[in-house]
Amino acid sequence: MTGTTPPRKFPFLKRRGDGAPSPAESDGERGLGASLEAEGATDGAPGPHGDGTGTGEGPTAVEPATPAPGRVAAVRDGLLRQGRNAKAGLGILADRVIEIAPRVPVRDLQTLRAQFPGLGPEQLADRLVSGAAHGTSTVGASVGAAAMLPVPPAMPAELAAEITAVAAIELKLIAELHEVYGQRPEGGPTRRAAAYLTSWTNERGIDVVRPLTISTALSGPLKRDLRQQIAKRMVRNLPNLVPFLVGAAVGAVMNRRDTRKLAERVRKDLRAAQVPWDQLPALPPLDEPGPPSTASGATPDALPPAPRDDRPT
C-alpha cells in the first residue's frame, strides 16, 4: 500500500465548511477534562460558586423573611395588655391588703403579758415570732397542697390568697412587736395601720420619735411601694405552685424563713429605741385613739364614726 494516504487517527471527527474545527473535534484535541468543563458551564447546573443560573456569577444575597406588620402589632398589643392586667391585679391586691390592715386583731402589751406571764421582752418577742412563722408556714403548705394538680387559671387566685393571708399574719406580728418594745405609733387605728403597713413594706421598724418617716396616707407612695413588695412576694412564692406536693414543702419552708427574716429586721430597729416596761406610760387600749402627737402637731387619725340609727324604736 505504498503511496496511499494513511488512515486518519479519528475518522469520526469532521470539519465544518468554514475550516474551523467542530466543538467535538476541539474537545477531543484538548482532552476529556475540557469536554466535561464545557458541559458543566453550559448545562444550567450550579457551579461551585454559582446561583443555579449557569451564568458563573456569585451567589445572590437572600433577604431574611420579615414578619408581617400585623403580626408584630398583635404581639406588641398582647404584651402591653398583659402588662396592664398584671399592674391592675397588683393594684387590686394592694387595695385588699390596705383594707384588711386596720381590721387585723392586735393584742396590746397588757394582754400579751397576761397570756405569757413571767417572760421578758425578748422571750415574749421570740414566742410571737415562732407563732407567726408557724402560721405563715401553714398557709404556704395549704396553698402548695391545693396546687397538687395545677390548674393554670386558678394559680393567680391561689397566689393572691396566700399573700393576703401571710400579710395579715405578719402585720399582726409587727404590731405586737411594737407593743412589746414600747414603740406603739400614735393615733387611731387607721394611722397605726398605715405605720404597720409602712413597716411591712420596707421590712423595717417604725421610729415613733420621727413621725414624718411614717406614711400616714393609705394611698400614693405607700400604695406604690406596697405594689412593689407584693410583686416581689409573688415572684418568691411561685415555687409554691409546683405540683405533686413539692410546692407544699417549699411553701412551708420559704414562708417560715421570710417571716423570721422580716421579724429579725424589725426587732433590730426596735431594740435601738426600746423603752423598758417599767418606764412606759399608761397607754389606752388599741381600739381607742391615742393622744395627739406633740412632735408633728397632728391630730390622731381615727376611723369614721358608725352611722346613727334614727329609726323609732
Side-chain angles (χ1 to χ4, degrees):
M1 303 289 297
T2 305
T4 60
T5 303
R8 299 179 62 88
K9 186 176 181 179
F10 299 101
F12 55 89
L13 297 177
K14 299 180 180 181
R15 292 183 176 272
R16 293 183 296 180
D18 55 357
S22 64
E25 181 178 357
S26 301
D27 293 340
E29 293 178 355
R30 289 185 297 165
L32 181 60
S35 178
L36 294 177
E37 181 180 355
E39 291 180 2
T42 58
D43 61 358
H49 303 286
D51 58 351
T53 60
T55 59
E57 299 178 356
T60 304
V62 179
E63 298 182 357
T66 57
R71 184 177 302 175
V72 175
V75 173
R76 183 179 63 250
D77 294 343
L79 293 177
L80 292 176
R81 191 181 307 110
Q82 291 180 359
R84 289 192 298 267
N85 293 340
K87 187 176 181 180
L90 291 177
I92 294 174
L93 191 54
D95 291 338
R96 179 59 179 166
V97 174
I98 291 175
E99 179 184 355
I100 67 174
R103 296 172 173 81
V104 173
V106 179
R107 296 168 291 185
D108 55 15
L109 180 59
Q110 290 77 13
T111 305
L112 291 172
R113 296 185 66 180
Q115 292 182 357
F116 302 96
L119 297 181
E122 293 297 330
Q123 293 81 8
L124 182 55
D126 290 339
R127 287 287 190 92
L128 296 178
V129 173
S130 299
H134 179 73
T136 56
S137 174
T138 303
V139 172
S142 301
V143 173
M148 181 178 61
L149 297 177
V151 180
M155 290 181 178
E158 294 171 354
L159 283 177
E162 179 181 5
I163 290 176
T164 304
V166 170
I169 295 174
E170 292 180 348
L171 285 172
K172 178 182 176 65
L173 171 63
I174 289 174
E176 293 179 351
L177 286 177
H178 280 76
E179 289 288 320
V180 170
Y181 288 99
Q183 297 293 309
R184 178 193 296 186
E186 297 177 344
T190 303
R191 184 182 177 88
R192 290 196 299 268
Y196 300 145
L197 276 174
T198 303
S199 177
W200 185 76
T201 302
N202 299 328
E203 298 183 354
R204 301 294 301 271
I206 293 298
D207 189 358
V208 296
V209 181
R210 301 171 57 192
L212 295 179
T213 61
I214 304 174
S215 298
T216 57
L218 295 179
S219 60
L222 176 60
K223 189 174 180 180
R224 182 184 64 249
D225 297 340
L226 187 59
R227 284 200 304 264
Q228 296 176 357
Q229 178 69 9
I230 290 174
K232 291 191 298 184
R233 286 296 185 103
M234 292 189 74
V235 172
R236 291 204 300 259
N237 291 350
L238 284 177
N240 300 3
L241 302 179
V242 177
F244 307 115
L245 293 180
V246 177
V250 173
V253 173
M254 293 185 62
N255 282 0
R256 185 187 302 111
R257 182 197 62 187
D258 292 343
T259 300
R260 290 187 177 277
K261 186 183 300 184
L262 171 66
E264 186 58 35
R265 291 177 179 175
V266 173
R267 292 176 67 179
K268 182 179 179 181
D269 293 337
L270 294 178
R271 287 192 191 102
Q274 181 179 0
V275 179
W277 288 349
D278 55 357
Q279 299 179 13
L280 282 175
L283 297 176
L286 288 174
D287 55 353
E288 297 180 6
S293 175
T294 57
S296 61
T299 57
D301 180 18
L303 289 175
R308 297 178 56 186
D309 189 1
D310 297 334
R311 295 178 299 177
T313 57

